[in-house]
Amino acid sequence: MTHNITLIPGDGVGPEISLATRRVLDATGVGINWEIAYAGAGAREKLGELLPQATLKSIRKNKVAIKGPVTTPVGSGFRSVNVALRKELDLYACLRPCKIYPGAPTRFSDVDIIVVRENTEDLYSGIEFEAGKAETAKLRKLVAEATGNKVSEDSAVSLKVISESASRRIVKFAFEYARANNRKKVTAVHKANIMKFSDGLFLATAREVAKEYNDIEFEDRIVDNLCMQLVRRPQQFDLLVLPNLYGDLISDLCAGLVGGLGLAPGANLGDEIAVFEATHGSAPKYKGQNKVNPMSMMLSGVMMLKYIGEKKAADKLEKAIAAVIAKGENVTYDMKATGSVGTSQVAEAVIEKL
Ligand code: NAD
């Protein structure tokens, strides 16, 4: 069977790691008909649009995509393509497994944590009020009238939106994933002691959903405490479910626990569509240098193979990547200080192990 899959090379180091990933996926023998589509700064240069309709159309048609990271300049009017893509396709769950492969550069052992991040709301709602603008003055007035609180005139405001429906959906996703993948414990992460209504709603909803899953242990952690516990004793955690922003931060932290961003795969999942991508960004300073680690995108490819029902090929590819890590010979600069190799050599070493 041939699978039609959309491949978005992305910006910065994206095209290099995408090529390396495509090579190893093709080498598994799974029939894939690649449909190349563009998004990000490169798409704007080529096609005049950050997220071209043709790209959305291709993903909607194929239902599965794998993408390289795209660049979002900080603080400019440039809206994040990733946020737009997730919203547009309702990819509400971000799944990021963080697992130690023997030989990976880490201080820990036995870490195997699944991070489930809500992908559509929270401080990523995109509802913002710029300092000094008329609409911000209106908001300040409304806040003063409704709550008696004063927002100072020089403030900018970003709305943290947490809904019961999105919280329920992501927590259910987390429990269903736990059940299907033999995970024993779900930890809901929040700051409900301070944000009593937004995070409070997330926590209350999580507690309610947990009652439907008596076979899986449930607990909650305040996010600052979680950070401390993760770096002290990460082995105590199994699956974390978090609102969007904490999910973003904690998945980078967990990537650090297992050997860095070069080893952190991910998937953005909706009910019908899935877009696989590494946790890391486009690392623009390394663009075109054949330098960065393609394994996070390759491991995202492993997740993709499982998703499309190619479990045997997925296991074979994961084993080949693990063998390259364990040998430690053909790995990139982030995995060893001297004698490292480049992106394309990693692909060749993985193919050799397949
Ligand atoms: P980044 O993840 O691109 O890079 C941070 C640092 O991590 C790099 O300088 C590099 O030292 C290291 N790193 C990242 N990926 C690596 C890899 N594969 N191998 C080895 N080392 C690696 O983060 P940033 O510099 O904050 O962001 C750059 C751009 O990427 C920004 O425009 C940001 O918005 C965007 N971004 C995109 C995505 C995405 O497309 N999913 C995710 C995060 C950030």
Side-chain angles (χ1 to χ4, degrees):
M1 174 185 182
T2 302
H3 304 271
N4 292 321
I5 292 176
T6 305
L7 174 66
I8 301 169
D11 300 318
V13 298
E16 297 160 64
I17 60 171
S18 297
L19 178 62
T21 300
R22 179 181 172 166
R23 287 177 66 198
V24 300
L25 285 167
D26 283 338
T28 63
V30 171
I32 298 177
N33 175 30
W34 296 106
E35 212 169 282
I36 310 297
Y38 297 94
R44 187 164 62 173
E45 274 163 36
K46 260 197 195 76
L47 307 162
E49 261 185 298
L50 286 170
L51 185 53
Q53 280 305 316
T55 300
L56 289 169
K57 204 171 149 196
S58 168
I59 303 174
R60 284 200 176 102
K61 173 171 67 74
N62 295 330
K63 308 227 180 303
V64 181
I66 184 161
K67 74 175 267 295
V70 299
T71 301
T72 303
V74 179
S76 74
F78 192 114
R79 189 169 173 229
S80 164
V81 174
N82 292 311
V83 175
L85 190 67
R86 290 165 196 166
K87 277 196 177 170
E88 193 69 40
L89 301 172
D90 200 20
L91 304 172
Y92 61 86
C94 179
L95 183 65
R96 290 175 166 172
C98 296
K99 159 166 132 180
I100 291 181
Y101 291 94
T106 164
R107 294 157 202 267
F108 299 98
S109 59
D110 302 334
V111 176
D112 183 2
I113 299 173
I114 302 289
V115 177
V116 174
R117 165 187 175 189
E118 203 287 325
N119 237 356
T120 63
E121 55 177 23
D122 193 358
L123 278 162
Y124 288 70
S125 65
I127 309 170
E128 295 206 286
F129 296 82
E130 198 176 338
K133 286 280 161 83
E135 59 269 23
T136 316
K138 265 192 202 161
L139 179 76
R140 288 175 35 242
K141 192 160 169 256
L142 178 72
V143 170
E145 280 168 12
T147 71
N149 287 305
K150 187 175 175 337
V151 176
S152 71
E153 212 179 323
D154 56 352
S155 301
V157 179
S158 302
L159 284 195
K160 175 175 167 112
V161 179
I162 301 275
S163 69
E164 201 218 308
S165 52
S167 302
R168 187 172 297 281
R169 185 162 75 160
I170 197 66
V171 178
K172 263 184 173 292
F173 175 94
F175 274 101
E176 288 296 329
Y177 182 91
R179 198 174 257 173
N181 292 277
N182 206 19
R183 295 280 168 164
K184 304 282 181 255
K185 184 170 75 173
V186 169
T187 306
V189 183
H190 60 89
K191 186 88 186 167
N193 51 330
I194 303 297
M195 282 157 279
K196 294 189 187 298
F197 297 140
S198 51
D199 282 18
L201 181 59
F202 178 80
L203 177 59
T205 309
R207 284 183 172 147
E208 216 179 284
V209 172
K211 288 186 194 141
E212 296 164 29
Y213 296 86
N214 287 328
D215 50 324
I216 295 160
E217 191 188 335
F218 174 73
E219 61 174 19
D220 70 273
R221 285 281 195 290
I222 294 176
V223 65
D224 41 345
N225 175 30
L226 176 84
C227 291
M228 188 278 292
Q229 294 199 19
L230 272 173
V231 295
R232 292 274 294 164
R233 208 163 53 84
Q235 297 84 353
Q236 66 183 296
F237 297 106
D238 191 351
L239 186 151
L240 307 174
V241 59
L242 317 89
N244 208 339
L245 182 66
Y246 307 145
D248 186 16
L249 307 178
I250 297 296
S251 41
D252 266 39
L253 192 159
C254 289
L257 298 177
V258 300
L261 284 170
L263 290 168
N268 297 296
L269 304 167
D271 287 332
E272 287 189 3
I273 296 177
V275 176
F276 295 83
E277 65 176 341
T279 295
H280 66 75
S282 57
K285 69 178 178 194
Y286 293 130
K287 179 184 174 174
Q289 293 178 28
N290 188 37
K291 173 140 179 122
V292 301
N293 194 347
M295 286 177 172
S296 40
M297 190 163 174
M298 289 178 179
L299 290 166
S300 307
V302 169
M303 293 172 77
M304 185 183 82
L305 289 176
K306 279 187 195 148
Y307 181 87
I308 61 174
E310 299 284 358
K311 171 124 184 22
K312 256 172 102 175
D315 290 345
K316 193 166 78 163
L317 178 55
E318 187 178 17
K319 270 200 192 121
I321 297 168
V324 172
I325 297 171
K327 199 160 183 212
E329 217 171 81
N330 293 296
V331 294
T332 44
Y333 79 97
D334 53 315
M335 294 184 64
K336 68 174 178 184
T338 55
S340 59
V341 300
T343 310
S344 58
Q345 287 77 25
V346 174
E348 278 140 34
V350 170
I351 291 168
E352 203 174 289
K353 296 277 181 203
L354 273 170

